[in-house]
């Protein structure tokens, strides 16, 4: 995942953070990214961490309202045009195939929430990036670590944070009702 210097300079800061994060964790171990910059594909989570970014969207009266530039909904959410752009740019920078698998809300999907079932990665060989959109979710992961021994990992994600799940690791989440997150699949580039 070596990025040419000129590409590095022109990319959005949230993409740089994710590429650096993946360069450390991909094919190694789970990890959590507490980003400095919000990802516009998943709305402004309203956590106040983007000081001076100039991306204030609406007045919060209508969480589904998009601004004219196609930015995500205020208060967190998914903007399809921005998601398409994000996945294409991340694929270009990493050399991986990148796709949004699904957006889930705790309590609305069987097996998600209290007493959640363990699930494996889609296709079994894809890595996952889980983008927390709203609410808080505790993630539990289990798999084979770099040492070849069974390992486990647990973390609590807040809005705006990302979790990397290596391929072939099982996962489950326990979250508050109405907590939502996006599952982004990363795989080998198709020829």
């Amino acid at each position: 995942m070596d990025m040419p210097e000129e590409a590095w300079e022109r990319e959005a800061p949230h993409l740089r953070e994710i590429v650096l994060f993946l360069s450390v964790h991909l094919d190694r171990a789970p990890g959590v990214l507490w980003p400095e910059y919000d990802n516009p594909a998943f709305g402004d989570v309203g956590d106040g961490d983007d000081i001076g970014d100039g991306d204030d969207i609406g007045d919060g009266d209508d969480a589904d309202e998009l601004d004219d530039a196609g930015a995500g909904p205020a208060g967190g959410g998914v903007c399809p045009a921005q998601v398409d752009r994000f996945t294409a740019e991340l694929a270009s920078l990493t050399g991986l195939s990148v796709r949004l698998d699904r957006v889930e809300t705790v309590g609305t999907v069987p097996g998600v929430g209290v007493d959640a079932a363990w699930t494996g990665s889609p296709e079994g060989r894809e890595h996952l990036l889980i983008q927390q959109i709203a609410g808080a979710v505790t993630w539990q992961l289990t798999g084979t670590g770099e040492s070849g021994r069974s390992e486990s990992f647990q973390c609590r994600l807040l809005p705006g944070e990302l979790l990397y799940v290596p391929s072939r690791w099982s996962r489950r989440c326990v979250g508050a009702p109405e907590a939502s997150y996006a599952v982004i699949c990363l795989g080998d580039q198709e020829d």
Side-chain angles (χ1 to χ4, degrees):
M1 278 193 301
D2 292 332
M3 189 174 355
E5 190 66 35
E6 60 276 0
W8 185 256
E9 293 300 321
R10 69 176 175 263
E11 291 308 323
H14 70 280
L15 283 169
R16 288 194 304 259
E17 285 183 318
I18 294 170
V19 170
L20 284 171
F21 172 71
L22 288 173
S23 73
V24 171
H25 290 282
L26 193 67
D27 283 329
R28 292 185 185 102
V32 175
L33 173 63
W34 298 280
E36 188 173 338
Y37 302 96
D38 288 334
N39 185 338
F42 300 103
D44 181 1
V45 297
D47 53 10
D49 63 355
D50 284 352
I51 298 169
D53 66 0
D55 288 337
D56 295 328
I57 301 169
D59 58 9
D61 291 338
D62 186 357
D64 295 324
E65 184 178 318
L66 298 179
D67 73 2
D68 293 336
V78 177
C79 177
Q82 289 286 347
V83 169
D84 290 345
R85 180 177 175 190
F86 167 70
T87 57
E89 290 174 341
L90 189 58
S92 171
L93 293 171
T94 61
L96 299 169
S97 70
V98 179
R99 66 180 173 81
L100 176 65
D101 185 55
R102 65 189 170 281
V103 175
E104 294 181 342
T105 300
V106 175
T108 62
V109 178
V112 175
V114 179
D115 299 324
W118 287 92
T119 57
S121 296
E123 306 293 319
R125 65 185 184 282
E126 292 182 302
H127 307 271
L128 302 178
L129 267 182
I130 297 174
Q131 169 82 48
Q132 190 67 30
I133 298 171
V137 172
T138 297
W139 287 92
Q140 298 169 335
L141 310 176
T142 185
T144 303
E146 287 185 276
S147 66
R149 293 188 298 232
S150 184
E151 295 183 11
S152 63
F153 180 88
Q154 180 171 315
C155 67
R156 184 167 177 84
L157 284 187
L158 299 175
E161 297 175 348
L162 285 126
L163 170 64
Y164 167 70
V165 181
S167 65
R168 296 189 257 324
W169 278 59
S170 296
R171 70 194 182 286
R172 72 176 177 180
C173 71
V174 179
E178 304 307 313
S180 62
Y181 56 89
V183 178
I184 302 157
C185 295
L186 309 171
D188 292 332
Q189 197 66 266
E190 301 289 326
D191 292 325

